[in-house]
Amino acid sequence: MQMQFPRNVMAHFCATIAVFAALTLILSTAHGADPKTSASKENLDKSVAKLLAIRPDLPIESVYPVAVEGLYGVDFPDGTTMYITADGGHMIVGDLYAIGDDLSNVTEQRRVTQRKALMDQVALSDMVIFPAKGERRAIVNIFTDVDCGYCRKLHNEIDQYAELGIEVRYLAYPREGLESETASTMRSVWCSSDPASAMTRAKNSQRIAQRDCPTDPIDEQFALGRRLGVSGTPSIVTDAGDMFPGYLPAQQLAQRLGLSL
């Protein structure tokens, strides 16, 4: 039987892969690596040599030691992680857990660190922001699609989020792709002189003026969403790097964020 990889591993190698590779290399040395399992580049390359010999088109982004002797982590551009033995003879696709007083998802801890680092690079001017009312108690970054039903439901309650002190920062993720009608509408939203008003109108199925601008961030944000593992909308990424897929009512989101009600 031919070996199968997760469905997105082979797709959409990002134009900014060099930046992401450098970033994950830095993160691998700062988070989740144990000095006892440090390895030379030669050893890291050797661990994936057999795999690349039979799958040379795999877009491996980084290889790094983890806190398990003889095991290395391997990251792909779509956020998938797998683990491979030092001799390259065996691999596991999935999350790695540490067993202590409780279970700790080591893979997700790394993803959280990566998400935060990548989100910190997004300019505020490239987001459509709905600020908190009064004191800002939390920030959430939401990958959204103006034609998504649950995205519209969330936006219809935007005042409730604001009243709880939650600032919503929208990023574009047109689910049907960058050539879709939805993507065109979202370009018009971001290019509007008042993107927040245009966002509300678009999510209420109201007409907005068709606009294009040379600096709209739709393509870049869509690629970022794929890199972070966004598979549907809305996808909520907290300021700390945690991801909550799907719609959450304001009070539930506040609870997940640790806010007192």
Side-chain angles (χ1 to χ4, degrees), residues 5 7 13 22 42 46 107 131 158-159 187 202 226 234 254 256:
F5 289 91
R7 56 193 176 92
F13 189 82
E42 181 181 355
K46 180 181 177 182
T107 308
I158 198 71
D159 287 344
R187 293 186 197 280
R226 294 183 66 87
R256 295 284 289 274

Side-chain angles (χ1 to χ4, degrees), residues 38-49:
S38 61
S40 67
K41 184 179 186 304
E42 181 181 355
N43 287 340
L44 295 175
D45 290 344
K46 180 181 177 182
S47 69
V48 294

